[in-house]
Amino acid sequence: MNGLADRNLLTALMLFCVSVMFSVGSSSDPKDWAFPLLANYVTLGIAIAFLVKFLWATFLKHAPDNIEMTADSRVSAIDVVVSLIIVIGYLFVMFGLGFWPASLAMLILTTLYLTRERTARNIRMAFIVPVCIAIIAYLIFTQVFYVPFPESVWFSG
């Protein structure tokens, strides 16, 4: 049971889950052939490599490289969970608000959360920098590359 917390096994299982999750939506459309399929196969290959590494270490009876949760690891894990919640919320809100307002809100929330020293200057910068990034990205993607983005469903006229 102690070997189930091995880093290589957990990494392999996580990558297998990611590979399965992204292979479910694939189709025969040419857009799904090149990059997404290749990225999925690379992920699957890396998962197999980690699984083989775990099985080889188990066969040779090496001590497992178990994950240990320290106080610093717990803080980092909380940061990952909060960031994941923000991203999942972003995915749901994006269809209602539209791509650009939802992206701006997500950038601001993430920046505010990850700001360690909450001084007035840092909080101002946590608003100014995402706004500047959103404006620059908007101009590049809409005026240079002509990329269409999802519009707001909640406020459509």
Side-chain angles (χ1 to χ4, degrees), residues 130-150:
V131 168
C132 292
I133 289 172
I135 291 171
I136 291 170
Y138 175 80
L139 292 174
I140 289 172
F141 284 113
T142 58
Q143 304 302 313
V144 176
F145 296 122
Y146 303 108
V147 176
F149 289 97

Side-chain angles (χ1 to χ4, degrees), residues 7-22 43-44 46-47 50 80 84:
R7 293 177 194 273
N8 295 322
L9 177 63
L10 293 176
T11 303
L13 292 175
M14 182 63 77
L15 289 174
F16 278 126
C17 289
V18 168
S19 180
V20 167
M21 184 175 65
F22 284 109
T43 303
L44 186 62
I46 294 170
F50 274 109
V80 167
L84 182 65

Side-chain angles (χ1 to χ4, degrees), residues 18-32:
V18 168
S19 180
V20 167
M21 184 175 65
F22 284 109
S23 66
V24 168
S26 62
S27 68
S28 61
D29 187 8
K31 292 186 300 187
D32 291 337

Side-chain angles (χ1 to χ4, degrees), residues 2 6 10 16 21 31 52 62-63 73 81 84 89-90 96 99 113 122 124-127 131 133 141 148 154:
N2 193 21
D6 186 83
L10 293 176
F16 278 126
M21 184 175 65
K31 292 186 300 187
V52 167
H62 288 201
S73 299
V81 168
L84 182 65
Y90 163 71
F99 179 80
Y113 177 74
N122 287 348
R124 264 193 322 271
M125 293 306 289
F127 280 96
V131 168
I133 289 172
F141 284 113
W154 295 341

